[in-house]
Coordinates of all heavy atoms in Angstrom, one line a residue:
R1 N -9.2 -13.0 10.5 CA -8.0 -12.8 9.7 C -8.1 -11.5 8.9 O -7.1 -10.9 8.6 CB -7.8 -14.0 8.8 CG -6.5 -14.0 8.1 CD -6.4 -15.3 7.3 NE -5.2 -15.2 6.4 CZ -4.7 -16.1 5.7 NH1 -5.3 -17.3 5.7 NH2 -3.7 -15.9 5.0
G2 N -9.3 -11.1 8.6 CA -9.5 -9.9 7.8 C -9.1 -8.6 8.6 O -8.9 -7.6 8.1
D3 N -9.1 -8.7 10.0 CA -8.8 -7.6 10.8 C -7.3 -7.3 10.9 O -6.9 -6.3 11.4 CB -9.4 -7.8 12.2 CG -10.9 -7.8 12.2 OD1 -11.5 -7.4 11.2 OD2 -11.5 -8.2 13.2
C4 N -6.5 -8.3 10.6 CA -5.1 -8.1 10.7 C -4.5 -7.2 9.6 O -4.8 -7.4 8.4 CB -4.4 -9.5 10.5 SG -2.6 -9.5 10.7
L5 N -3.9 -6.1 10.0 CA -3.4 -5.1 9.1 C -1.9 -5.3 8.9 O -1.1 -5.3 9.8 CB -3.6 -3.7 9.6 CG -3.1 -2.6 8.7 CD1 -3.9 -2.6 7.4 CD2 -3.3 -1.3 9.4
S6 N -1.5 -5.6 7.6 CA -0.1 -5.8 7.3 C 0.3 -4.6 6.5 O -0.4 -4.1 5.7 CB 0.1 -7.1 6.5 OG 1.4 -7.1 6.0
S7 N 1.6 -4.1 6.7 CA 2.0 -3.0 5.9 C 2.9 -3.5 4.8 O 3.5 -2.7 4.1 CB 2.8 -2.0 6.8 OG 4.0 -2.6 7.3
N8 N 2.9 -4.8 4.5 CA 3.7 -5.3 3.5 C 2.8 -5.5 2.2 O 1.8 -6.1 2.3 CB 4.3 -6.7 3.9 CG 5.4 -7.1 2.9 OD1 6.1 -6.3 2.4 ND2 5.5 -8.4 2.7
V9 N 3.3 -5.0 1.1 CA 2.6 -5.1 -0.2 C 3.4 -5.8 -1.2 O 4.6 -5.5 -1.3 CB 2.1 -3.7 -0.7 CG1 1.4 -3.8 -2.0 CG2 1.3 -3.0 0.4
R10 N 2.9 -6.8 -1.9 CA 3.6 -7.4 -3.0 C 2.7 -7.9 -4.1 O 1.5 -8.0 -3.8 CB 4.4 -8.6 -2.4 CG 3.5 -9.7 -1.9 CD 4.3 -11.0 -1.6 NE 3.4 -12.0 -1.0 CZ 2.5 -12.7 -1.6 NH1 2.2 -12.5 -2.9 NH2 1.7 -13.5 -1.0
P11 N 3.1 -8.1 -5.3 CA 2.2 -8.6 -6.3 C 1.9 -10.0 -6.1 O 2.6 -10.7 -5.4 CB 3.1 -8.4 -7.6 CG 4.5 -8.3 -7.1 CD 4.5 -7.8 -5.7
P12 N 0.8 -10.5 -6.6 CA 0.4 -11.9 -6.5 C 1.5 -12.8 -7.1 O 2.1 -12.5 -8.1 CB -0.9 -12.0 -7.3 CG -1.4 -10.7 -7.5 CD -0.2 -9.8 -7.4
K13 N 1.8 -13.9 -6.4 CA 2.9 -14.8 -6.8 C 2.5 -15.7 -7.9 O 3.3 -16.3 -8.6 CB 3.5 -15.5 -5.6 CG 2.5 -16.4 -4.9 CD 3.1 -17.1 -3.7 CE 2.1 -17.7 -2.8 NZ 2.6 -18.1 -1.5
D14 N 1.2 -15.9 -8.1 CA 0.7 -16.8 -9.2 C -0.7 -16.5 -9.6 O -1.3 -15.6 -9.0 CB 0.9 -18.3 -8.8 CG 0.1 -18.7 -7.5 OD1 -0.9 -18.0 -7.2 OD2 0.6 -19.6 -6.8
D15 N -1.2 -17.2 -10.6 CA -2.6 -16.9 -11.0 C -3.6 -17.2 -10.0 O -4.6 -16.4 -9.9 CB -2.9 -17.7 -12.3 CG -2.2 -17.2 -13.5 OD1 -1.7 -16.0 -13.5 OD2 -2.0 -17.9 -14.5
E16 N -3.4 -18.2 -9.2 CA -4.4 -18.5 -8.1 C -4.5 -17.4 -7.1 O -5.6 -17.0 -6.7 CB -4.0 -19.8 -7.4 CG -5.0 -20.3 -6.3 CD -4.5 -21.5 -5.6 OE1 -3.6 -22.2 -6.1 OE2 -5.1 -21.8 -4.6
E17 N -3.3 -16.9 -6.7 CA -3.3 -15.8 -5.8 C -4.0 -14.5 -6.4 O -4.7 -13.8 -5.7 CB -1.9 -15.5 -5.3 CG -1.8 -14.7 -4.0 CD -0.4 -14.7 -3.5 OE1 0.4 -13.9 -4.0 OE2 -0.1 -15.4 -2.5
K18 N -3.8 -14.3 -7.7 CA -4.4 -13.2 -8.4 C -5.9 -13.3 -8.4 O -6.6 -12.3 -8.1 CB -3.8 -13.1 -9.8 CG -4.1 -11.8 -10.5 CD -3.6 -11.8 -11.9 CE -2.1 -11.7 -11.9 NZ -1.5 -11.5 -13.3
I19 N -6.4 -14.5 -8.6 CA -7.8 -14.7 -8.6 C -8.4 -14.5 -7.2 O -9.5 -13.9 -7.1 CB -8.1 -16.2 -9.2 CG1 -7.8 -16.2 -10.7 CG2 -9.6 -16.5 -8.9 CD1 -7.8 -17.7 -11.2
K20 N -7.7 -15.0 -6.2 CA -8.2 -14.8 -4.8 C -8.3 -13.4 -4.5 O -9.2 -12.9 -3.8 CB -7.3 -15.6 -3.9 CG -7.4 -17.0 -3.9 CD -6.5 -17.7 -2.9 CE -6.6 -19.2 -2.9 NZ -5.7 -19.8 -1.9
A21 N -7.3 -12.6 -4.9 CA -7.3 -11.1 -4.7 C -8.5 -10.5 -5.4 O -9.2 -9.6 -4.8 CB -6.0 -10.5 -5.1
K22 N -8.7 -10.8 -6.6 CA -9.9 -10.2 -7.3 C -11.2 -10.6 -6.7 O -12.1 -9.8 -6.6 CB -9.8 -10.7 -8.8 CG -8.7 -10.0 -9.6 CD -8.7 -10.4 -11.0 CE -7.6 -9.7 -11.7 NZ -7.6 -9.9 -13.2
I23 N -11.3 -11.8 -6.2 CA -12.5 -12.2 -5.5 C -12.7 -11.4 -4.2 O -13.8 -11.0 -3.9 CB -12.5 -13.8 -5.2 CG1 -12.7 -14.6 -6.5 CG2 -13.6 -14.1 -4.2 CD1 -12.4 -16.0 -6.4
A24 N -11.7 -11.3 -3.5 CA -11.7 -10.5 -2.3 C -12.2 -9.0 -2.5 O -13.0 -8.5 -1.8 CB -10.4 -10.5 -1.5
I25 N -11.7 -8.5 -3.6 CA -12.1 -7.1 -4.0 C -13.5 -7.1 -4.4 O -14.3 -6.2 -3.9 CB -11.2 -6.6 -5.2 CG1 -9.8 -6.4 -4.7 CG2 -11.8 -5.3 -5.8 CD1 -8.8 -6.1 -5.8
L26 N -14.0 -8.0 -5.2 CA -15.4 -8.1 -5.6 C -16.3 -8.3 -4.4 O -17.5 -7.8 -4.4 CB -15.6 -9.2 -6.6 CG -15.0 -8.9 -8.0 CD1 -15.1 -10.2 -8.8 CD2 -15.6 -7.7 -8.6
Q27 N -15.9 -9.0 -3.3 CA -16.7 -9.2 -2.1 C -16.6 -8.0 -1.2 O -17.2 -8.1 -0.1 CB -16.2 -10.5 -1.4 CG -16.5 -11.7 -2.2 CD -15.9 -13.0 -1.6 OE1 -15.0 -13.0 -0.8 NE2 -16.5 -14.1 -1.9
G28 N -15.9 -7.0 -1.5 CA -15.8 -5.8 -0.7 C -14.9 -6.0 0.5 O -15.0 -5.2 1.5
R29 N -13.9 -6.9 0.4 CA -13.0 -7.1 1.5 C -11.7 -6.3 1.2 O -10.6 -6.6 1.8 CB -12.7 -8.6 1.7 CG -13.9 -9.3 2.1 CD -13.5 -10.8 2.5 NE -13.2 -11.5 1.3 CZ -12.4 -12.6 1.2 NH1 -11.9 -13.0 2.3 NH2 -12.1 -13.2 0.1
S30 N -11.7 -5.3 0.4 CA -10.5 -4.5 0.2 C -10.8 -3.1 0.7 O -11.9 -2.7 1.1 CB -10.2 -4.4 -1.3 OG -11.3 -3.8 -2.0
K31 N -9.7 -2.3 0.9 CA -9.8 -1.0 1.4 C -9.1 0.0 0.4 O -8.0 -0.4 -0.1 CB -9.1 -0.8 2.7 CG -9.8 -1.5 3.9 CD -8.9 -1.4 5.1 CE -9.4 -0.3 6.0 NZ -8.7 -0.3 7.3
P32 N -9.6 1.2 0.3 CA -8.8 2.2 -0.6 C -7.5 2.4 0.1 O -7.3 2.4 1.3 CB -9.7 3.4 -0.5 CG -11.1 2.9 -0.1 CD -10.8 1.7 0.7
L33 N -6.5 2.7 -0.7 CA -5.1 3.0 -0.2 C -5.1 4.1 0.8 O -4.4 4.1 1.8 CB -4.2 3.3 -1.4 CG -2.7 3.6 -1.0 CD1 -2.1 2.4 -0.3 CD2 -1.9 3.9 -2.3
K34 N -6.0 5.1 0.6 CA -6.0 6.3 1.5 C -6.4 5.8 2.9 O -5.9 6.3 3.9 CB -7.0 7.3 1.0 CG -7.0 8.6 1.8 CD -7.8 9.7 1.1 CE -7.6 11.0 1.8 NZ -8.2 12.1 1.1
D35 N -7.4 4.9 3.0 CA -7.8 4.3 4.3 C -6.7 3.5 4.9 O -6.5 3.6 6.2 CB -9.1 3.5 4.1 CG -10.3 4.3 3.7 OD1 -10.2 5.5 3.7 OD2 -11.3 3.6 3.3
V36 N -6.0 2.7 4.2 CA -4.9 1.9 4.7 C -3.8 2.9 5.3 O -3.3 2.6 6.4 CB -4.3 1.0 3.6 CG1 -3.0 0.3 4.1 CG2 -5.3 0.0 3.2
V37 N -3.5 3.9 4.5 CA -2.5 4.9 5.0 C -2.9 5.5 6.3 O -2.2 5.7 7.2 CB -2.1 5.9 3.9 CG1 -1.2 7.0 4.4 CG2 -1.4 5.2 2.7
A38 N -4.2 5.9 6.3 CA -4.8 6.5 7.5 C -4.7 5.6 8.7 O -4.4 6.0 9.8 CB -6.2 7.0 7.2
D39 N -5.0 4.3 8.5 CA -4.9 3.3 9.5 C -3.4 3.3 10.1 O -3.2 3.2 11.3 CB -5.3 1.9 9.1 CG -6.8 1.8 8.9 OD1 -7.5 2.7 9.3 OD2 -7.2 0.8 8.2
I40 N -2.5 3.3 9.2 CA -1.1 3.2 9.6 C -0.6 4.5 10.4 O 0.0 4.4 11.4 CB -0.1 2.9 8.4 CG1 -0.4 1.5 7.9 CG2 1.3 3.1 8.8 CD1 0.3 1.3 6.5
L41 N -1.0 5.6 9.8 CA -0.6 6.9 10.4 C -1.5 7.3 11.6 O -1.0 8.1 12.5 CB -0.8 8.0 9.4 CG 0.1 8.0 8.2 CD1 -0.2 9.1 7.2 CD2 1.6 8.0 8.6
G42 N -2.7 6.8 11.7 CA -3.6 7.2 12.8 C -4.2 8.6 12.6 O -4.8 9.2 13.5
E43 N -4.1 9.0 11.3 CA -4.8 10.3 10.9 C -5.0 10.3 9.4 O -4.4 9.5 8.7 CB -3.9 11.5 11.3 CG -2.5 11.5 10.6 CD -1.6 12.7 11.1 OE1 -1.7 13.0 12.2 OE2 -0.9 13.2 10.3
E44 N -5.9 11.2 9.0 CA -6.2 11.3 7.6 C -5.0 11.9 6.8 O -4.5 12.9 7.1 CB -7.4 12.2 7.4 CG -8.0 12.2 6.0 CD -8.8 10.9 5.7 OE1 -9.1 10.2 6.6 OE2 -9.0 10.7 4.5
P45 N -4.5 11.1 5.8 CA -3.4 11.6 5.0 C -3.8 12.6 3.9 O -4.9 12.6 3.5 CB -2.8 10.3 4.4 CG -4.0 9.5 4.2 CD -4.9 9.8 5.3
E46 N -2.8 13.4 3.6 CA -3.0 14.3 2.4 C -3.0 13.5 1.1 O -2.3 12.5 1.1 CB -2.0 15.4 2.4 CG -2.1 16.4 3.5 CD -1.1 17.5 3.4 OE1 -0.6 17.8 2.3 OE2 -0.8 18.1 4.5
Q47 N -3.7 13.9 0.1 CA -3.7 13.2 -1.2 C -2.3 13.1 -1.8 O -2.0 12.0 -2.4 CB -4.7 13.8 -2.1 CG -4.9 13.0 -3.4 CD -5.5 11.6 -3.1 OE1 -6.4 11.5 -2.3 NE2 -4.9 10.6 -3.7
A48 N -1.5 14.1 -1.6 CA -0.1 14.0 -2.2 C 0.7 12.8 -1.5 O 1.4 12.2 -2.2 CB 0.6 15.3 -1.9
L49 N 0.5 12.6 -0.3 CA 1.1 11.5 0.4 C 0.6 10.2 -0.1 O 1.4 9.2 -0.4 CB 0.9 11.5 1.9 CG 1.5 10.4 2.7 CD1 3.0 10.3 2.5 CD2 1.2 10.6 4.2
V50 N -0.7 10.0 -0.3 CA -1.3 8.8 -0.9 C -0.7 8.6 -2.3 O -0.4 7.5 -2.6 CB -2.8 8.9 -0.8 CG1 -3.4 7.7 -1.5 CG2 -3.3 9.1 0.6
D51 N -0.7 9.6 -3.1 CA -0.1 9.5 -4.4 C 1.3 9.0 -4.4 O 1.7 8.2 -5.2 CB -0.2 10.9 -5.2 CG -1.7 11.3 -5.5 OD1 -2.6 10.4 -5.4 OD2 -1.9 12.5 -5.7
A52 N 2.1 9.6 -3.5 CA 3.5 9.2 -3.4 C 3.6 7.7 -3.0 O 4.5 7.0 -3.6 CB 4.3 10.0 -2.4
V53 N 2.8 7.3 -2.1 CA 2.8 5.8 -1.7 C 2.4 5.0 -2.9 O 3.0 3.9 -3.1 CB 1.9 5.6 -0.5 CG1 1.7 4.1 -0.2 CG2 2.4 6.3 0.8
E54 N 1.4 5.4 -3.6 CA 0.9 4.6 -4.7 C 2.0 4.5 -5.8 O 2.2 3.4 -6.4 CB -0.3 5.3 -5.4 CG -0.9 4.5 -6.5 CD -2.2 5.1 -7.1 OE1 -2.5 6.2 -6.7 OE2 -2.8 4.4 -7.9
N55 N 2.7 5.6 -6.0 CA 3.8 5.5 -7.0 C 4.9 4.6 -6.6 O 5.5 3.8 -7.4 CB 4.4 6.9 -7.2 CG 3.5 7.8 -8.0 OD1 2.7 7.4 -8.8 ND2 3.6 9.1 -7.8
N56 N 5.2 4.5 -5.3 CA 6.2 3.6 -4.7 C 5.7 2.2 -4.9 O 6.5 1.3 -5.3 CB 6.5 3.9 -3.3 CG 7.5 4.9 -3.1 OD1 8.7 4.6 -3.0 ND2 7.1 6.2 -2.9
I57 N 4.4 1.9 -4.7 CA 3.9 0.6 -4.9 C 4.0 0.1 -6.3 O 4.4 -1.0 -6.7 CB 2.4 0.5 -4.4 CG1 2.4 0.7 -2.8 CG2 1.7 -0.8 -4.8 CD1 1.0 0.9 -2.3
L58 N 3.6 1.1 -7.2 CA 3.6 0.7 -8.7 C 5.0 0.4 -9.2 O 5.2 -0.5 -9.9 CB 3.0 1.9 -9.5 CG 1.5 2.1 -9.3 CD1 1.0 3.3 -10.0 CD2 0.7 0.9 -9.7
L59 N 6.0 1.2 -8.7 CA 7.4 1.0 -9.0 C 7.9 -0.4 -8.6 O 8.5 -1.1 -9.3 CB 8.3 2.1 -8.5 CG 9.8 2.0 -8.8 CD1 10.0 2.0 -10.3 CD2 10.5 3.1 -8.0
A60 N 7.5 -0.7 -7.3 CA 7.9 -2.0 -6.8 C 7.3 -3.1 -7.5 O 7.9 -4.2 -7.8 CB 7.6 -2.1 -5.3
Q61 N 6.0 -2.9 -7.9 CA 5.3 -3.9 -8.7 C 5.9 -4.2 -10.0 O 6.1 -5.3 -10.4 CB 3.8 -3.4 -8.8 CG 2.8 -4.5 -9.2 CD 1.4 -4.0 -9.2 OE1 1.2 -2.8 -9.5 NE2 0.5 -4.8 -8.9
E62 N 6.3 -3.1 -10.7 CA 7.0 -3.3 -12.0 C 8.3 -4.0 -11.8 O 8.7 -4.8 -12.7 CB 7.3 -1.9 -12.6 CG 6.1 -1.2 -13.1 CD 6.4 0.3 -13.6 OE1 7.6 0.6 -13.6 OE2 5.5 1.0 -13.9
Q63 N 9.0 -3.9 -10.7 CA 10.2 -4.5 -10.4 C 10.1 -5.9 -9.7 O 11.1 -6.6 -9.4 CB 11.1 -3.6 -9.6 CG 11.5 -2.3 -10.3 CD 12.2 -1.3 -9.4 OE1 12.3 -1.5 -8.2 NE2 12.7 -0.3 -10.0
G64 N 8.8 -6.3 -9.5 CA 8.5 -7.6 -8.9 C 9.0 -7.7 -7.4 O 9.3 -8.7 -6.9
E65 N 9.0 -6.5 -6.7 CA 9.5 -6.5 -5.3 C 8.3 -6.3 -4.4 O 7.2 -5.8 -4.8 CB 10.4 -5.3 -5.1 CG 11.7 -5.4 -6.0 CD 12.6 -4.2 -5.9 OE1 12.1 -3.2 -5.2 OE2 13.7 -4.2 -6.4
S66 N 8.5 -6.6 -3.1 CA 7.4 -6.3 -2.1 C 7.7 -5.0 -1.6 O 8.8 -4.4 -1.7 CB 7.4 -7.4 -1.0 OG 8.6 -7.4 -0.3
V67 N 6.8 -4.4 -0.9 CA 6.9 -3.0 -0.4 C 6.4 -3.1 1.1 O 5.4 -3.7 1.4 CB 6.0 -2.1 -1.2 CG1 5.9 -0.7 -0.5 CG2 6.4 -2.0 -2.6
D68 N 7.2 -2.3 1.9 CA 6.8 -2.2 3.3 C 6.2 -0.8 3.4 O 6.9 0.2 3.4 CB 7.9 -2.3 4.3 CG 7.6 -2.2 5.7 OD1 6.5 -1.6 6.0 OD2 8.3 -2.7 6.6
L69 N 4.8 -0.7 3.5 CA 4.2 0.6 3.6 C 4.6 1.5 4.7 O 4.8 2.7 4.5 CB 2.7 0.5 3.6 CG 2.0 -0.1 2.4 CD1 0.5 -0.2 2.6 CD2 2.2 0.9 1.2
S70 N 4.9 0.9 5.9 CA 5.3 1.7 7.0 C 6.7 2.3 6.7 O 6.9 3.5 7.0 CB 5.4 0.8 8.3 OG 4.2 0.4 8.7
A71 N 7.6 1.6 6.1 CA 8.9 2.1 5.8 C 8.8 3.2 4.7 O 9.5 4.2 4.8 CB 9.8 1.0 5.3
I72 N 7.9 3.0 3.7 CA 7.7 4.1 2.7 C 7.2 5.3 3.3 O 7.6 6.4 3.1 CB 6.7 3.6 1.6 CG1 7.4 2.5 0.7 CG2 6.2 4.7 0.8 CD1 6.5 1.9 -0.3
L73 N 6.2 5.2 4.2 CA 5.6 6.4 4.9 C 6.6 7.1 5.7 O 6.7 8.4 5.7 CB 4.4 6.0 5.7 CG 3.2 5.6 4.9 CD1 2.1 4.9 5.8 CD2 2.6 6.8 4.2
K74 N 7.4 6.4 6.4 CA 8.5 7.0 7.3 C 9.5 7.8 6.4 O 9.9 8.9 6.7 CB 9.2 6.0 8.1 CG 8.4 5.5 9.3 CD 9.2 4.4 10.0 CE 8.3 3.8 11.1 NZ 8.9 2.7 11.8
S75 N 9.9 7.2 5.3 CA 10.8 7.8 4.3 C 10.2 9.0 3.7 O 10.9 10.1 3.7 CB 11.2 6.8 3.2 OG 12.0 7.4 2.3
I76 N 9.0 9.0 3.3 CA 8.4 10.2 2.6 C 8.2 11.3 3.7 O 8.5 12.4 3.4 CB 7.0 9.8 2.0 CG1 7.2 8.8 0.8 CG2 6.2 11.0 1.6 CD1 5.9 8.2 0.3
Q77 N 7.8 10.9 4.9 CA 7.6 11.9 5.9 C 8.9 12.6 6.3 O 9.0 13.8 6.5 CB 6.9 11.3 7.1 CG 5.4 11.1 6.9 CD 4.8 10.4 8.0 OE1 5.4 9.5 8.7 NE2 3.5 10.7 8.3
S78 N 10.0 11.8 6.4 CA 11.3 12.3 6.7 C 11.8 13.3 5.6 O 12.3 14.3 5.9 CB 12.3 11.1 6.8 OG 13.6 11.6 7.0
M79 N 11.6 12.9 4.3 CA 12.0 13.8 3.3 C 11.1 15.1 3.3 O 11.7 16.2 3.1 CB 11.7 13.2 1.9 CG 12.8 12.2 1.5 SD 12.8 11.7 -0.2 CE 11.3 10.8 -0.3
S80 N 9.9 15.0 3.6 CA 9.0 16.2 3.7 C 9.5 17.1 4.8 O 9.5 18.3 4.6 CB 7.5 15.8 4.0 OG 7.0 15.0 2.9
E81 N 9.8 16.5 5.9 CA 10.3 17.4 7.1 C 11.6 18.1 6.7 O 11.8 19.2 7.1 CB 10.5 16.5 8.3 CG 9.2 16.0 8.9 CD 9.3 15.0 10.0 OE1 10.5 14.7 10.3 OE2 8.3 14.5 10.4
K82 N 12.5 17.4 6.0 CA 13.8 18.0 5.6 C 13.6 19.2 4.6 O 14.3 20.1 4.6 CB 14.7 17.0 5.0 CG 15.2 16.0 6.0 CD 16.1 15.0 5.3 CE 16.6 13.9 6.4 NZ 17.4 12.9 5.8
W83 N 12.5 19.0 3.7 CA 12.3 20.0 2.7 C 11.4 21.2 3.3 O 11.4 22.2 2.6 CB 11.6 19.4 1.5 CG 12.4 18.5 0.7 CD1 13.8 18.4 0.8 CD2 12.0 17.5 -0.2 NE1 14.2 17.4 -0.1 CE2 13.2 16.9 -0.7 CE3 10.8 17.2 -0.8 CZ2 13.1 15.9 -1.7 CZ3 10.7 16.2 -1.7 CH2 11.9 15.6 -2.2
A84 N 10.8 21.0 4.4 CA 9.9 22.0 4.9 C 10.6 23.2 5.5 O 11.7 23.1 5.9 CB 9.0 21.4 6.0

C-alpha cells in the first residue's frame, strides 16, 4: 500500500487520522514534497516549482479543501510556458 502514489492531498479529517499521519512521518514513511513532485514529473523539479506547489497546498489546507497535485503542476507549468 505504501508504494501507491496518489496526487490527491487533503488535511486529516479527524484527530485519529492526524495521529496516524504523524506516526507514519515518525516511522519514515513520508517523502519530501520535492521527491513527490519529482515522482509525478519524472524529473527533478526546480525549487521555485516546489515552493509554488507548497503554497497551493497550504492555501487549500487553510480553506479545508483537497488538492490534486497533478492538476496543480499542470496549471503551474502552463502558466510558466505562457510567461516564458
Side-chain angles (χ1 to χ4, degrees):
R1 191 174 170 175
D3 294 345
C4 179
L5 179 64
S6 171
S7 66
N8 193 34
V9 178
R10 63 169 176 75
K13 59 185 169 193
D14 56 28
D15 287 339
E16 181 180 348
E17 201 171 75
K18 192 181 291 186
I19 291 168
K20 287 180 182 179
K22 288 182 180 187
I23 290 170
I25 291 168
L26 291 172
Q27 292 175 337
R29 294 187 292 155
S30 63
K31 288 175 103 172
L33 181 58
K34 188 171 189 171
D35 293 349
V36 173
V37 172
D39 288 346
I40 293 171
L41 295 177
E43 63 185 31
E44 190 71 19
E46 293 185 21
Q47 188 59 45
L49 178 59
V50 176
D51 292 343
V53 171
E54 182 177 12
N55 287 335
N56 275 273
I57 292 170
L58 293 173
L59 179 61
Q61 197 173 31
E62 288 174 8
Q63 297 172 349
E65 299 173 354
S66 64
V67 173
D68 182 338
L69 288 179
S70 294
I72 287 174
L73 288 167
K74 286 178 187 173
S75 174
I76 292 170
Q77 288 176 324
S78 175
M79 280 193 292
S80 295
E81 290 169 5
K82 289 179 184 176
W83 292 345

